[in-house]
Amino acid sequence: MNQPEIVKIESIQNETDSIKTITFFYKLETIPGQFFMIWIPGIDEIPMSVSNINNDNKAITFRVVGDATKSLFNLKKHDLIGIRGPYGNGFSFHGNHHLFIGGGTGIAMIAPAVESCLLRDEPVDVILGAKTKDELFFIKRLQKTDANVHIATDDGSKGYKGYTSKLTEKIIKEKQIDTIYTCGPELMMKSIFEICIKNNISLQASLERYMKCAVGICGQCCIGEGLRVCIEGPIFSDKQLLDISDFGVFNRNASGKKKNIQP
Amino acid sequence: MVSLTTCINNLELKNPFILASGIMDEDAGSMKRILQEDAAAVVTKSIGLHERNGHSNPTFLELEHGLLNAMGLPNPGIDSYGSEIKKINNDNGKIIGSIFGSNVEEFEILSEKMQNYGVNALELNLSCPHAKGYGLEIGQDPEEINKIVRAVKQSVSIPIFVKLSPNVNDICMLAKAAEQGGADAIVAINTVKAMKIDIETKRPILANKIGGYSGKAIKPIGIRNVYEIFEAIKIPIIGVGGITKGEDVIEYIMAGASAVQVGSGIYYNGIQIFTQLKEQVIKWMTQNNYQNIKELIGVAHK
Ligand SMILES: Cc1cc2nc3c(=O)[nH]c(=O)nc-3n(C[C@H](O)[C@H](O)[C@H](O)COP(=O)(O)OP(=O)(O)OC[C@H]3O[C@@H](n4cnc5c(N)ncnc54)[C@H](O)[C@@H]3O)c2cc1C
Ligand SMILES: Cc1cc2nc3c(=O)[nH]c(=O)nc-3n(C[C@H](O)[C@H](O)[C@H](O)COP(=O)(O)O)c2cc1C
Ligand code: FES
């Protein structure tokens, strides 16, 4: 039933100064790219992607940006939170050579996707990008796998100096990439989308919109011609994105009012 | 051939199925998508004068037999909403603009703006059960309802529907007040006031604590309200509450509804529910030898 199931926090891991992973016991089958609604009793309920799937243990990894994420950050082991979901479509892997691109907190949901894709025994490259090296996380976790891990920072403090999109252009020249999977700031994903269209690479991008019901009725998260990010998304293909005029242009806040996100 | 066309005063509908207010109707895209299904009309989200975020999350949860929500009338404000309505092409169906205000003047301004945006009819939300100063808080008083409807009637020329709440002692008295004020139809019902407490954390789950109950559980309440209103007034009724299948539609029409609205049904069946309802109603009518859906309006009153 779509109502919060109360779970105890099993463990908490610090990833950076402002990013933590919270692990809890939650049975329902979940695939990478799906998300939960996390109820912090008395505070808020917010969408969070699954960042680790280990049988009945699931995790979320989040950055502090406001009140809800701050309260989540301050919770202790054994504190109670409510979980409903998983929601949304999740990734579906296509092609032979896969490239994953996580920007900022987007890395959180890209990591389990990489791990799951590797089960196909096909070549996987992954770009982890952030403004600066202190904001990177999950590097060790992914370096332990068979994926080729590339790092990009805007300031060059670690790895390639520059945007993940620039590094993407470099990698697709060297390797025959069939599909790109990405989650990160929308403008980053828009640049990657343009690269994919130009180079005929298929794309799956994970979009974020303000969410309330997460079950497809309140209309809060609708984009394009009535696509619900909570149901038909959050992962959209290059073909779908071509018809979503909002992509990289605007989102809507809690009132439904449009907010320009163009540079 | 079975005829499903119905009429709410002079508003012609190709079938009796309308999208209820507050469900997939915050932007043009989602309403266009619903109109491509077999919905004859969509009701917009309830729109007020100013931008409103609504209540904090949790604003929604599912219960055993229905849904509980306390969205709290989030909306971008009437001035921002015009561009959404203008983007919808009315060829596929009709648009009914839902508005909420805290007094007569607000309703006048909102109704004029909605009419200018090009909606085919107005729905006055006098029934939201969980927003302070709006909806039900002013929709319990027959005199207030009468005043608001009268004023809106003078401001616009399109049909005016009045949406009422079941959370009152005597809904018929309110329906009569709306009819006397010049309403063209009554919409019944809005959600039923309800609450869910989580016993582990020992607190109501909704941030607003109290919400509105919708979906399957409230159908008998909707049916009873429509049945009683039908005996009290002469203007048409639009039945809402808990519709998920063709038989539910037939039941509302027999109780006295000329058309129905569907909200939570989208949760249970997806947006294809409008096509499903159409097929199921046609099948029932064919099996029971009815050619015209209008023949069934109010037949349960014996
Ligand atoms: C499908 C999905 C998956 C997400 N996964 C992750 C994740 O894995 N890790 C992570 O750190 N963040 C994730 N987010 C973003 C996360 O939900 C927001 O950072 C969080 O809601 C902020 O809440 P706040 O109260 O701390 O901040 P606020 O100060 O309330 O808001 C800060 C920002 O968060 C956005 N936000 C607030 N409430 C919501 C809401 N109910 N729905 C969507 N956005 C909201 C606001 O629009 C604003 O831009 C995801 C969002 C979506 C839609
Ligand atoms: C998520 C949600 C939001 C709603 N928002 C509104 C609204 O803005 N205005 C309104 O008049 N009714 C609103 N309603 C009430 C519905 O329009 C409808 O009257 C009620 O849900 C009963 O019908 P149903 O059982 O088919 O959902 C809302 C209902 C739900 C579930
Ligand atoms: S969050 Fe309500 S429709 Fe997606």
Side-chain angles (χ1 to χ4, degrees):
Chain A
M1 198 155 25
N2 284 303
Q3 73 176 233
E5 176 181 326
I6 305 301
V7 300
K8 245 194 224 146
I9 294 176
E10 300 282 338
S11 67
I12 298 174
Q13 176 78 37
N14 290 325
E15 309 293 354
T16 73
D17 285 351
S18 60
I19 298 177
K20 269 187 185 177
T21 296
I22 286 183
T23 304
F24 47 85
F25 184 82
Y26 190 70
K27 269 204 145 111
L28 291 181
E29 193 189 331
T30 306
I31 64 167
Q34 288 189 304
F35 67 96
F36 305 110
M37 289 301 282
I38 307 286
W39 180 39
I40 311 139
I43 307 289
D44 203 344
E45 187 187 41
I46 52 172
M48 282 288 156
S49 302
V50 65
S51 69
N52 206 345
I53 304 162
N54 192 348
N55 298 321
D56 290 342
N57 278 320
K58 310 286 176 340
I60 52 168
T61 302
F62 58 93
R63 177 193 302 278
V64 176
V65 294
D67 289 347
T69 43
K70 189 188 261 167
S71 334
L72 206 52
F73 200 82
N74 291 332
L75 292 180
K76 305 267 168 326
K77 191 173 167 172
H78 296 322
D79 280 347
L80 301 180
I81 51 174
I83 312 283
R84 56 186 182 96
Y87 296 119
N89 53 359
F91 286 114
S92 55
F93 307 119
H94 301 288
N96 278 311
H97 196 150
H98 313 269
L99 172 61
F100 291 81
I101 306 166
T105 351
I107 294 171
M109 62 91 78
I110 284 295
V114 169
E115 288 159 350
S116 166
C117 187
L118 280 165
L119 300 175
R120 292 164 62 102
D121 251 338
E122 290 159 355
V124 171
D125 279 71
V126 46
I127 302 177
L128 305 178
K131 288 201 181 75
T132 178
K133 80 171 194 300
D134 296 340
E135 293 180 11
L136 286 163
F137 58 101
F138 287 172
I139 296 180
K140 282 208 189 85
R141 172 173 165 189
L142 290 169
Q143 279 172 341
K144 268 193 278 180
T145 69
D146 289 332
N148 299 306
V149 180
H150 312 263
I151 288 167
T153 49
D154 297 356
D155 63 0
S157 51
K158 195 175 170 90
Y160 176 87
K161 179 175 194 285
Y163 289 154
T164 52
S165 49
K166 285 276 170 273
L167 183 53
T168 303
E169 281 177 326
K170 195 165 154 254
I171 292 174
I172 60 169
K173 278 196 195 109
E174 294 158 6
K175 303 184 179 184
Q176 177 72 41
I177 302 290
D178 300 306
T179 310
I180 291 181
Y181 311 83
T182 185
C183 181
E186 194 150 315
L187 294 176
M188 173 198 107
M189 296 197 287
K190 181 95 182 194
S191 314
I192 290 166
F193 164 73
E194 278 152 10
I195 294 170
C196 287
I197 295 295
K198 212 165 81 194
N199 295 280
N200 205 15
I201 297 172
S202 44
L203 175 70
Q204 291 190 32
S206 181
L207 266 52
E208 274 184 20
R209 284 295 181 272
Y210 204 101
M211 288 189 181
K212 290 183 176 173
C213 73
V215 298
I217 60 169
C218 76
Q220 172 72 52
C221 69
C222 288
I223 57 170
E225 301 293 285
L227 291 172
R228 295 161 294 183
V229 175
C230 67
I231 300 275
E232 285 87 17
I235 316 289
F236 292 98
S237 70
D238 47 319
K239 285 189 195 67
Q240 288 173 305
L241 292 169
L242 274 174
D243 294 332
I244 299 175
S245 54
D246 334 17
F247 179 52
V249 178
F250 64 84
N251 60 24
R252 288 183 292 121
N253 65 13
S255 74
K257 194 168 179 158
K258 284 178 183 160
K259 225 176 66 202
N260 197 333
I261 53 173
Q262 283 170 304
Chain B
M1 254 307 270
V2 167
S3 163
L4 291 183
T5 56
T6 187
C7 237
I8 308 296
N9 273 4
N10 51 14
L11 184 75
E12 276 219 29
L13 299 175
K14 66 183 178 196
N15 65 44
F17 315 122
I18 304 172
L19 174 74
S21 179
I23 289 89
M24 280 192 76
D25 51 9
E26 195 175 277
D27 71 323
S30 44
M31 287 184 275
K32 278 166 131 174
R33 185 170 175 201
I34 298 290
L35 285 174
Q36 278 161 13
E37 301 289 320
D38 282 307
V42 294
V43 184
T44 69
K45 201 173 190 65
S46 294
I47 304 295
L49 266 191
H50 307 293
E51 181 181 5
R52 240 179 100 93
N53 286 340
H55 299 311
S56 301
N57 279 350
T59 46
F60 166 89
L61 60 110
E62 183 191 2
L63 299 171
E64 282 91 338
H65 308 290
L67 307 178
L68 188 60
N69 92 83
M71 308 312 299
L73 298 174
N75 80 99
I78 189 78
D79 292 332
S80 301
Y81 201 66
S83 58
E84 300 302 319
I85 291 174
K86 289 177 188 154
K87 265 186 249 159
I88 307 172
N89 178 342
N90 301 38
D91 287 353
N92 277 335
K94 304 285 198 296
I95 307 167
I96 301 163
S98 172
I99 53 177
F100 70 92
S102 59
N103 55 47
V104 173
E105 292 71 38
E106 286 190 20
F107 272 102
E108 281 173 336
I109 301 169
L110 290 162
S111 55
E112 280 173 25
K113 292 198 172 182
M114 271 290 186
Q115 173 171 276
N116 291 341
Y117 294 154
V119 299
N120 303 100
L122 284 176
E123 184 174 289
L124 313 186
N125 179 350
L126 295 170
S127 45
C128 179
H130 47 69
K132 237 186 142 19
Y134 296 105
L136 178 56
E137 290 202 3
I138 53 168
Q140 326 207 27
D141 176 2
E143 255 174 62
E144 195 65 23
I145 290 183
N146 185 286
K147 263 200 293 187
I148 290 169
V149 178
R150 209 172 278 280
V152 172
K153 190 79 196 168
Q154 272 164 13
S155 312
V156 298
S157 56
I158 49 177
I160 302 165
F161 307 161
V162 174
K163 185 167 179 184
L164 295 177
S165 167
N167 308 295
V168 293
N169 280 335
D170 185 358
I171 199 169
C172 294
M173 200 166 71
L174 304 179
K176 272 190 216 153
E179 181 179 42
Q180 280 157 12
D184 297 282
I186 298 296
V187 182
I189 54 176
N190 208 315
T191 52
V192 181
K193 266 190 175 189
M195 182 186 274
K196 165 71 186 170
I197 292 172
D198 173 61
I199 58 172
E200 272 183 78
T201 54
K202 307 175 189 71
R203 58 165 75 234
I205 295 180
L206 293 174
N208 188 56
K209 301 186 175 76
I210 292 173
Y213 199 23
S214 64
K216 293 176 185 172
I218 71 163
K219 197 190 77 184
I221 304 173
I223 297 283
R224 191 271 294 173
N225 278 283
V226 169
Y227 188 92
E228 289 194 346
I229 296 169
F230 186 78
E231 306 214 324
I233 60 170
K234 299 209 165 54
I235 53 175
I237 305 164
I238 300 172
V240 204
I243 292 171
T244 58
K245 53 187 195 298
E247 283 84 352
D248 301 338
V249 176
I250 303 285
E251 197 178 339
Y252 265 105
I253 290 177
M254 288 182 171
S258 296
V260 295
Q261 295 180 357
V262 177
S264 305
I266 290 187
Y267 172 81
Y268 295 106
N269 298 29
I271 60 166
Q272 23 341 327
I273 188 164
F274 295 100
T275 306
Q276 293 167 358
L277 292 177
K278 184 174 150 187
E279 284 165 2
Q280 290 161 1
V281 167
I282 289 175
K283 187 167 166 212
W284 190 93
M285 287 174 66
T286 311
Q287 281 170 351
N288 291 275
N289 294 316
Y290 285 98
Q291 258 82 57
N292 192 327
I293 190 119
K294 289 180 200 155
E295 293 171 59
L296 287 164
I297 299 172
V299 297
H301 294 262
K302 304 212 150 90

